[in-house]
Amino acid sequence: MLTRSERIERLRKAIIENEPVVSIERATLVTEAYQEFEADPILIKRAKVLDKLLRNMTIFINDGDLLVGNQGESLRCPPVYPENLVGWMDDEEEMARMEVRSVNPLKIPQQIRPQLKELAQYWKGKTLVDKVYAVFPDDILKARKSSLFSVSLEKNAVGHCVLDYEKLLQKGYHGLKEEIQNKLDKMDLTDPKELAKVEFLEAARIVCDAGIAFAERYAGLALELAEKEADQERKRELEKISAMCRKVPANPAGSFYEAVQSVYLAHIINVIETNAYSMSFGRFDQYMYPYYKKDIEEGKITVQEVQEIINCFWCKTNEIMHVDDSEMVYFHGGHPFGQHLTVGGMTRDGRDATNELSYMCLDAHEIVELYQPDFSVRLHKGSSYKFKERTAEVIRLGLGLPQIFNDEIVIESLMNDGLPLEEARDYTPTGCVEYSTPQCWVRSPGGWFNVPKVIEAVLHQGKCALTDRQISLNTKPVEEIESFEEFMELFKKHFRHAVRLHVIWSNLIDNVHAKVMPQPSVSILTDDCIKKGKDVSQGGARYNFTSPLMVGIATAVDSLSIIKKKVFEERTFSLRELVEALDSNFKGAEVLRARLLNYPYRYGNDYDEVDDMAREISVLFCDEFAKYRISRENGKFRAGFWSVTANFNLGLGTAASADGRKAKEELSDSITPNSGKDVNGLTASLKSAAKLDQRRASCGTVLNRHITPTELQGADKIRRFVDMVDTYFELGGTNLGFNVVSAETLKKAQQNPEDYSGLMVKVAGYAAFFVELGKPCQDALIARTEHGLS
């Protein structure tokens, strides 16, 4: 077991013990800036808003930290983004609920509440969510409010991207400014197409200057603290931080330490600009390696010093948080931020990319034991057993991370999306699992699509069973459905209609983002925005994607399997009897529900007939969205099979289902089998998931498995674990994540949270502190089937 230094122990403890408190400072500065720059075009306005924030917000340096950059006024102090939404800000009851809710509670100091209410008055009717909902037609609103699909960045800026940090390290903001100026100098402003690019390029230049000024502020603060510091070692550290921030990210990085600081400051600037989730670090071990190698070879740094810098970097990522309202919190249980960092994989020319930093990042995760960054390992057929073994050893610690990705299938799926082989090999997961490169703008989530709700529409002639709204086509009553084949044809008819509504909804949201929520700080580090003179929200990236996500596949398939067998083959009960039981939420139909719950032929047990149905629905999902185009130029819809915790939110809007699930309970998680129903063992569950064509899900898949801790004890079991992962990947799987903790431990943590404040679990495509999850999510984790390796 690796040990952490006194410095890392102190930084980690501060994060765990710090109660999240909402900050009003950003909201005040942003409101002032929007009023001050009201006449400016939107891109210039957004750049000037960021400039005002970076020059005026509170900055601080943590005691003992080797890196600087903060989002709020203190640790775990999420700022408010009033330009996105303000609904909760003038609602005293909602603020009170936010403080005591079981999921992601946030303290909102009484002294700032009057100010929040005052700011809300200015922003009402002007926010992103206001403008999005103003463009929705009635049929879209009915479907959205009835949970046929849910949350597609209506309240958040777009994140889920990886930026070109290699370019930042080589050029710095001064170099980016030079590139921007060269572009401006060569433009023919008599050409209307060229003239249209000026606004973006001017905004990009403002952002570069703002970033340089931000770093200078930290340089001044570090020097001020150094002058007051009595401890000579800490004094030297602060002086070094000061000198470093005067150099980067304004200029190219010249050392490993400078490179890490440059990336983190650029990252925090992107976070401050918008409330986007999942601004990711990408292939840290690749773009940092040249600086590490040079410093080590020249004797400028020791391996131990490098490890301490990486450990501090790991801690820094856990300081960042969001303010989520009562709807959004169901999608982000456990305060995830999706700052994905990946190691391993292939180089652009197909060689094994694993290096010393790959192992040091694994070591950092073991040492720091926190839930950010969202950490993953890329494996391929050329990965060494040593690297796989070390990955398994870190997974064995029960930290919920790293996740594991299969290079061969992911690279193939990205090439199918139009990326050349060399760029596809350079992919990184972002956020949870969505695959991207610095050339891509991946608008994800592109909305969570509720598959069980489509079955509900079939059973109720296109109506929502909970609200009686007409959300789909008015088709025949269940008494007139004569065969399962006819049932499936109706299912596909409703499915296609739901996809059509989803596409319209999603493109309308994209259009609003382009008009009101451009992101120039992200754009300057996304290829080819400067070249095109376009913001990412307007199609500036080389590749543009919007990613709808399939939710509840196991709930849907288990329900369809039961309907096929019990209604149409065995005729145990009729469709009408089933509908009546579902509509009553099984009140008076307990015997029927018991039959449904005990039905054995379910997804996750390697039954071809059931698993083939899952494959058919997943292919239908991909095929239908592939028929449509997105609003950004040369863009496409690309599918993902993962839910984060959207299965809880969508479950709240879904009536009882034929698999025995009660109304408003959670739907199944990603492509994971229903909890407790995958009874034929771990291998059978992996084989079921591998039957889905995961190549088609180029926005990623999530398969969560729960292994008891004893199953990874000893070298022999580690080898069996590695063999299991290799086999799943050979069968076509793309992603695996593991909880290595007993249900008994989770139950104890639920009952005595104060004794388990540092307990981490894998929730979906991310990890979180177990005690910061709501009880429904905790219960779902406890209910997951515990598997052995045999």
Side-chain angles (χ1 to χ4, degrees):
M1 184 74 178
L2 300 174
T3 57
R4 63 180 73 104
S5 67
E6 186 276 333
R7 180 200 314 274
I8 301 302
E9 187 69 61
R10 187 165 68 250
L11 293 174
R12 181 180 184 275
K13 183 179 180 182
I15 290 164
I16 292 175
E17 294 182 352
N18 219 280
E19 180 184 26
V21 179
V22 170
S23 166
I24 197 173
E25 182 181 63
R26 184 192 179 280
T28 303
L29 288 170
V30 165
T31 305
E32 290 173 0
Y34 264 79
Q35 293 170 331
E36 184 179 350
F37 308 124
E38 188 171 355
D40 285 310
I42 187 60
L43 275 160
I44 301 296
K45 183 187 295 183
R46 292 291 296 166
K48 287 182 176 180
V49 168
L50 180 60
D51 180 77
K52 185 178 180 77
L53 283 167
L54 297 183
R55 293 179 189 272
N56 293 279
M57 63 176 278
T58 299
I59 62 170
F60 61 88
I61 298 174
N62 297 324
D63 181 28
D65 208 341
L66 298 177
L67 298 169
V68 301
N70 58 280
Q71 172 203 28
E73 296 166 76
S74 61
L75 288 180
R76 304 191 93 203
C77 182
V80 175
Y81 294 76
E83 66 270 43
N84 291 61
L85 75 157
V86 294
W88 61 273
M89 288 168 55
D90 66 346
D91 185 337
E92 194 66 45
E93 291 183 1
E94 171 68 352
M95 285 192 275
R97 283 192 295 268
M98 289 169 72
E99 288 205 324
V100 299
R101 65 192 182 192
S102 59
V103 185
N104 299 5
L106 294 169
K107 182 176 176 57
I108 306 173
Q110 287 291 335
Q111 65 267 26
I112 72 168
R113 295 189 185 190
Q115 296 168 265
L116 286 170
K117 292 176 183 177
E118 183 180 342
L119 291 172
Q121 297 311 306
Y122 168 81
W123 283 101
K124 281 187 176 178
K126 302 173 184 175
T127 65
L128 173 66
V129 70
D130 289 327
K131 295 185 177 184
V132 163
Y133 271 80
V135 301
F136 289 162
D138 187 57
D139 57 346
I140 302 294
L141 275 172
K142 286 179 179 177
R144 165 70 175 90
K145 290 182 177 181
S146 299
S147 297
L148 186 59
F149 39 76
S150 187
V151 179
S152 182
L153 299 166
E154 299 159 338
K155 301 175 180 179
N156 293 83
V158 181
H160 298 260
C161 60
V162 55
L163 304 185
D164 194 345
Y165 286 125
E166 186 174 0
K167 181 178 182 180
L168 174 73
L169 296 177
Q170 292 172 355
K171 286 193 167 191
Y173 283 131
H174 281 308
L176 292 172
K177 272 185 67 180
E178 185 177 343
E179 183 182 348
I180 292 162
Q181 189 60 53
N182 287 340
K183 178 72 176 174
L184 283 166
D185 290 343
K186 294 175 182 177
M187 290 173 65
D188 177 6
L189 298 186
T190 65
D191 182 345
K193 292 182 180 178
E194 290 286 277
L195 188 61
K197 301 173 183 178
V198 173
E199 182 186 336
F200 166 73
L201 294 169
E202 291 289 358
R205 190 161 54 182
I206 292 169
V207 166
C208 290
D209 285 336
I212 293 167
F214 190 52
E216 284 283 353
R217 293 185 66 206
Y218 282 105
L221 177 60
L223 192 58
E224 182 183 325
L225 292 173
E227 290 170 354
K228 301 174 183 176
E229 181 60 57
D231 183 279
Q232 290 304 302
E233 183 179 351
R234 182 57 181 164
K235 183 182 183 72
R236 285 191 294 271
E237 288 176 351
L238 288 166
E239 289 171 342
K240 194 167 187 177
I241 288 171
S242 178
M244 187 164 55
C245 289
R246 297 213 186 276
K247 182 178 179 183
V248 296
N251 301 292
S255 68
F256 177 80
Y257 191 7
E258 289 175 0
V260 175
Q261 180 62 82
S262 183
V263 165
Y264 194 76
L265 274 175
H267 173 75
I268 206 71
I269 288 169
N270 301 145
V271 169
I272 292 165
E273 180 182 50
T274 72
N275 69 342
Y277 275 91
S278 303
M279 313 299 292
S280 297
F281 295 108
R283 304 189 73 186
F284 184 90
D285 62 341
Q286 301 305 299
Y287 58 75
M288 288 294 179
Y289 188 69
Y291 302 92
Y292 165 82
K293 189 171 184 293
K294 180 176 179 293
D295 284 1
I296 291 291
E297 288 177 351
E298 294 178 0
K300 293 180 178 178
I301 199 168
T302 67
V303 171
Q304 291 75 22
E305 289 169 335
V306 169
Q307 187 69 63
E308 190 77 344
I309 292 168
I310 297 174
N311 295 348
C312 284
F313 181 84
W314 237 253
C315 289
K316 291 296 290 183
T317 65
N318 289 273
E319 297 175 15
I320 302 172
M321 301 185 78
H322 260 312
V323 177
D324 284 321
D325 66 7
S326 292
E327 178 187 40
M328 291 300 296
V329 76
Y330 277 97
F331 295 85
H332 304 125
H335 295 296
F337 206 82
Q339 304 164 96
H340 210 120
L341 184 152
T342 191
V343 297
M346 296 183 190
T347 61
R348 289 172 69 95
D349 60 3
R351 294 176 291 110
D352 180 38
T354 310
N355 58 42
E356 295 99 306
L357 289 180
S358 311
Y359 288 94
M360 294 176 82
C361 287
L362 285 165
D363 289 350
H365 196 66
E366 175 175 341
I367 292 165
V368 176
E369 291 188 280
L370 291 172
Y371 62 89
Q372 289 290 314
D374 201 346
F375 182 42
S376 68
V377 166
R378 284 177 46 180
L379 297 180
H380 59 97
K381 290 180 180 177
S383 298
S384 69
Y385 179 77
K386 177 185 175 184
F387 186 55
K388 295 175 182 178
E389 180 183 46
R390 180 60 184 139
T391 299
E393 289 171 351
V394 176
I395 289 171
R396 179 174 61 190
L397 299 172
L399 306 176
L401 296 171
Q403 302 182 72
I404 313 174
F405 289 85
N406 178 5
D407 270 9
E408 277 78 16
I409 303 297
V410 174
I411 289 168
E412 182 181 340
S413 70
L414 286 170
M415 291 176 67
N416 291 339
D417 278 337
L419 275 67
L421 176 60
E422 293 77 12
E423 289 183 19
R425 283 174 174 157
D426 203 32
Y427 83 92
T428 180
T430 66
C432 290
V433 297
E434 47 273 49
Y435 317 134
S436 189
T437 72
Q439 296 80 36
C440 297
W441 185 238
V442 182
R443 212 271 270 169
S444 175
W448 280 280
F449 184 94
N450 187 342
V451 180
K453 194 76 178 181
V454 178
I455 301 174
E456 185 180 314
V458 177
L459 295 173
H460 295 85
Q461 296 180 261
K463 288 187 175 182
C464 168
L466 297 179
T467 65
D468 204 40
R469 292 190 189 107
Q470 193 73 37
I471 61 170
S472 188
L473 305 169
N474 189 348
T475 50
K476 63 173 60 178
V478 291
E479 289 85 358
E480 297 178 20
I481 302 174
E482 297 181 354
S483 67
F484 184 69
E485 290 71 25
E486 184 180 8
F487 188 96
M488 285 302 294
E489 284 305 311
L490 286 170
F491 171 80
K492 291 174 183 177
K493 190 173 183 179
H494 283 282
F495 196 102
R496 293 186 179 102
H497 182 73
V499 168
R500 178 181 173 276
L501 294 178
H502 190 126
V503 165
I504 296 169
W505 170 65
S506 189
N507 280 336
L508 287 170
I509 293 169
D510 264 346
N511 292 341
V512 173
H513 271 270
K515 294 173 184 174
V516 305
M517 199 56 60
Q519 296 175 235
S521 82
V522 171
S523 301
I524 61 175
L525 291 172
T526 302
D527 307 332
D528 301 321
C529 289
I530 294 175
K531 179 180 176 181
K532 290 182 181 179
K534 282 188 173 184
D535 187 83
V536 285
S537 66
Q538 299 165 345
R542 190 175 305 170
Y543 309 103
N544 285 287
F545 304 110
T546 294
S547 300
L549 306 170
M550 181 177 67
V551 179
I553 186 66
T555 301
V557 169
D558 287 357
S559 296
L560 290 171
S561 177
I562 287 170
I563 290 170
K564 181 176 187 288
K565 181 68 68 175
K566 294 297 182 182
V567 173
F568 291 106
E569 292 181 4
E570 297 179 357
R571 300 194 179 277
T572 306
F573 44 81
S574 69
L575 268 183
R576 172 50 60 195
E577 290 172 317
L578 175 63
V579 170
E580 289 174 356
L582 300 180
D583 287 351
S584 70
N585 204 21
F586 299 109
K587 187 175 182 180
E590 290 80 8
V591 174
L592 174 57
R593 183 173 186 241
R595 288 177 178 171
L596 302 180
L597 289 172
N598 290 320
Y599 180 75
Y601 298 104
R602 293 175 177 265
Y603 169 75
N605 293 288
D606 194 24
Y607 296 127
D608 285 341
E609 183 178 5
V610 182
D611 298 339
D612 288 348
M613 196 181 297
R615 181 185 179 92
E616 180 183 4
I617 293 172
S618 66
V619 168
L620 176 67
F621 182 80
C622 297
D623 284 349
E624 287 304 309
F625 276 102
K627 293 176 180 178
Y628 299 97
R629 309 306 296 174
I630 67 173
S631 58
R632 280 166 283 122
E633 65 180 50
N634 302 317
K636 61 180 287 187
F637 286 98
R638 62 171 198 166
F641 302 163
W642 49 274
S643 59
V644 193
T645 51
N647 54 313
F648 290 89
N649 178 275
L650 289 176
L652 286 172
T654 305
S657 47
D659 63 342
R661 173 193 147 273
K662 283 194 169 185
K664 301 188 177 184
E665 290 182 349
E666 74 270 12
L667 306 176
S668 58
D669 161 34
S670 304
I671 62 169
T672 305
N674 272 312
S675 294
K677 302 302 181 183
D678 46 341
V679 296
N680 285 355
L682 179 58
T683 301
S685 72
L686 297 181
K687 289 174 71 177
S688 285
K691 292 173 193 174
L692 302 178
D693 188 356
Q694 296 186 30
R695 291 170 179 81
R696 298 293 306 279
S698 56
C699 194
T701 70
V702 169
L703 179 60
N704 290 313
R705 300 286 71 200
H706 195 155
I707 297 178
T708 54
T710 55
E711 289 298 315
L712 287 179
Q713 298 303 315
D716 180 61
K717 289 187 176 180
I718 287 287
R719 181 171 290 278
R720 289 167 62 189
F721 175 84
V722 169
D723 289 344
M724 176 199 67
V725 172
D726 285 345
T727 301
Y728 178 62
F729 285 175
E730 286 173 8
L731 291 172
T734 56
N735 165 271
L736 274 174
F738 297 92
N739 270 325
V740 185
V741 59
S742 70
E744 188 59 35
T745 297
L746 297 181
K747 289 176 184 176
K748 290 177 181 177
Q750 191 178 53
Q751 294 163 1
N752 303 290
E754 66 281 358
D755 297 333
Y756 293 86
S757 59
L759 176 63
M760 292 201 306
V761 290
K762 188 169 190 292
V763 182
Y766 68 92
F769 289 132
F770 181 78
V771 298
E772 291 188 344
L773 300 170
K775 188 174 186 299
C777 189
Q778 291 179 343
D779 288 343
L781 290 169
I782 292 168
R784 283 181 184 171
T785 309
E786 288 188 29
H787 287 294
L789 293 180
S790 55

